[in-house]
Amino acid sequence: MSAPDATPGTSGTPDWAARADRAARTVTRHFGRRFLFLPGTHLAASTRPSSRFPGQPWNYWWQAHYVDCLVDAGFRELASGARFDGGDRPSAGRLASRLVTTVRLRNFLRYVNRYYDDMAWLALAVLRLDALAEKAHLPGRRRNARLQRSLSRQFESASTDDMGGGTYWSTTRDFKNTPATAPVALYFARTGKREQAQRLLDWLDATLFDPTTGLYLDGARIQEGKLVLAREIYTYNQGPVLGALLELGGDANLARAAALVGSVSEHLTVGGPDTEGRLVLRGEGTGDGGLFTGILVRYLALAAGDVRLPAPTRATAGQLVFETAEALWEGRTVRTDAVHGTSATYDDGWFVFSAELQRPAAQTYPAGTAVELSTQLQAWMMLEAAARVRKLSVPGPSLEL
């Protein structure tokens, strides 16, 4: 590596918080910008380098996970008393709040989107943003409450008895899948609608659970009067299922959660010379797939800190988080090109993280190629997860994760 590692922590362990700060600065400084030059706005470009002008692809759900990552950094700021990007720059919580407002502006003055999974990710992130505000003793945001009321109605309408249950993926209402059903179940569980959440989880278990792998398939649709399964298995589908199982708790759900962690370890990890025998989760490429494995790692971090799970399960979840994040960190590269067309650079360059966790970034993002936001958010998410697992001591699930 041409760049120094983050400052080691105690006992020679990596300083995961410092590493997460570097990833946070990469995204906020090099992808973040005002929307249409409007003061008080904040949005991330889909690629870097990029134009400041309209015409960029609109990735609503990437912005939702950007909110989540900022909330992660915000909780660390509260714990440390120091801002991730220095005292003269906005706090992570302030940027997250601006981002939520700007998503509405960019989405034609509404939060409703045609994809229910997109909306669920944003609703979950804003729920955590409210928890951050409460912990920071800041007043509640009426905007957040309006957003949650609006999107909750969407989730209620999309979660029907058609096909036996589950949540539709989009307003086309011809496909129900894990990417929508699982985060909606988690949102219901976190907002007191536990029976509805459990029904969604039970539908997933009855309809989309693959007993051969112990993992969840992508979705199902009705064709010519028959239920037809989309049998693809993606990393991110397992994450919110795991989160919802832990949020609801109970012996049956916790047993399913423990089994799911084991299945992830067995079937979704990769080998090769760059992994050195570690438990490294597979990546899912670029585009939307650039976020998939980061989402799984977020919820594995929940499992790693949940004392209701067996100790071996917690250890496996923690190992998956740390060793995947370590492989990602070791594979980083550094660019020293200017920020948004200016001559300014920060920290002697900005970090670029690989789109494929078993390969270094120099291979997946050769010099001169555009870097996608999704993959850099995924890296940030993983490093935040590792930082949280390192300091977890409170039993049970937590909105901080």
Side-chain angles (χ1 to χ4, degrees):
M1 276 303 304
S2 59
D5 198 354
T7 304
T10 58
S11 304
T13 59
D15 188 340
W16 290 107
R19 292 177 173 187
D21 280 343
R22 288 301 298 260
R25 290 194 291 270
T26 284
V27 173
T28 57
R29 292 178 176 184
H30 296 270
F31 291 83
R33 79 275 299 285
R34 290 179 177 180
F35 175 59
L36 297 178
F37 303 99
L38 294 172
T41 61
H42 186 77
L43 205 66
S46 296
T47 60
R48 169 75 173 89
S50 63
S51 167
R52 283 181 173 271
F53 296 96
Q56 288 280 308
W58 173 225
N59 301 108
Y60 177 113
W61 83 288
W62 295 11
Q63 306 295 330
H65 286 287
Y66 184 18
V67 175
D68 242 346
C69 288
L70 285 167
V71 172
D72 289 336
F75 278 115
R76 286 193 299 101
E77 285 182 335
L78 285 181
S80 68
R83 293 185 180 177
F84 78 94
D85 202 12
D88 60 339
R89 294 177 180 273
S91 68
R94 176 65 63 86
L95 282 178
S97 184
R98 290 178 182 176
L99 178 57
V100 171
T101 295
T102 311
V103 166
R104 179 176 177 272
L105 291 176
R106 176 61 179 82
N107 201 51
F108 307 105
L109 301 180
R110 61 206 301 256
Y111 288 111
V112 174
N113 182 287
R114 69 181 298 258
Y115 295 101
Y116 295 107
D117 56 339
D118 289 14
M119 292 184 279
W121 293 123
L122 183 61
L124 286 168
V126 170
L127 200 61
R128 295 183 64 238
L129 180 59
D130 276 343
L132 174 64
E134 182 178 357
K135 190 167 184 178
H137 306 293
L138 297 174
R141 294 299 300 258
R142 286 179 292 179
R143 175 207 61 197
N144 293 352
R146 289 195 299 270
L147 179 152
Q148 290 169 22
R149 284 195 299 271
S150 173
L151 297 189
S152 290
R153 289 193 292 269
Q154 297 295 318
F155 305 147
E156 296 276 359
S157 123
S159 302
T160 71
D161 292 332
D162 303 295
M163 296 187 236
T167 304
Y168 283 113
W169 177 48
S170 74
T171 54
T172 306
R173 300 172 82 88
D174 62 350
F175 184 55
K176 288 187 171 181
N177 64 2
T178 305
T181 303
V184 167
L186 179 56
Y187 182 78
F188 281 161
R190 287 183 172 175
T191 54
K193 300 174 182 177
R194 296 177 63 84
E195 291 184 4
Q196 290 168 272
Q198 188 65 61
R199 285 197 296 271
L200 292 178
L201 284 178
D202 290 344
W203 179 82
L204 285 169
D205 204 50
T207 310
L208 296 180
F209 181 75
D210 176 26
T212 302
T213 61
L215 300 169
Y216 290 84
L217 306 177
D218 192 52
R221 56 170 44 91
I222 297 293
Q223 290 181 346
E224 298 179 355
K226 296 180 180 180
L227 190 70
V228 177
L229 299 181
R231 304 197 65 88
E232 296 85 357
I233 292 176
Y234 298 113
T235 51
Y236 82 135
N237 284 346
Q238 320 312 314
V241 174
L242 179 59
L245 290 168
L246 295 175
E247 190 70 35
L248 288 173
D251 290 346
N253 286 333
L254 293 174
R256 287 160 67 183
L260 183 54
V261 171
S263 296
V264 165
S265 176
E266 181 179 359
H267 296 289
L268 297 181
T269 51
V270 294
D274 294 321
T275 63
E276 299 178 349
R278 295 175 294 191
L279 278 182
V280 177
L281 291 161
R282 79 183 193 203
E284 301 275 19
T286 55
D288 284 345
L291 271 168
F292 284 7
T293 306
I295 292 169
L296 172 56
V297 168
R298 172 180 294 283
Y299 294 102
L300 284 169
L302 272 176
D306 195 325
V307 298
R308 299 171 301 173
L309 294 175
T313 297
R314 300 199 307 273
T316 297
Q319 186 180 2
L320 286 163
V321 171
F322 286 130
E323 295 186 356
T324 301
E326 185 65 43
L328 183 80
W329 179 261
E330 289 178 354
R332 74 198 185 282
T333 189
V334 177
R335 290 193 179 183
T336 56
D337 49 319
V339 180
H340 296 320
T342 74
S343 60
T345 58
Y346 298 100
D347 299 327
D348 298 321
W350 57 290
F351 283 7
V352 174
F353 296 96
S354 183
E356 298 177 24
L357 308 179
Q358 70 273 29
R359 297 173 59 205
Q363 294 180 13
T364 63
Y365 283 125
T369 59
V371 179
E372 286 193 299
L373 171 67
S374 58
T375 59
Q376 305 311 292
L377 284 175
Q378 171 172 264
W380 181 6
M381 202 179 306
M382 288 180 177
L383 296 170
E384 292 284 2
R388 296 299 181 95
V389 173
R390 181 63 70 194
K391 69 185 289 291
L392 270 177
S393 59
V394 179
S398 166
L399 273 173
E400 290 191 21
L401 282 167

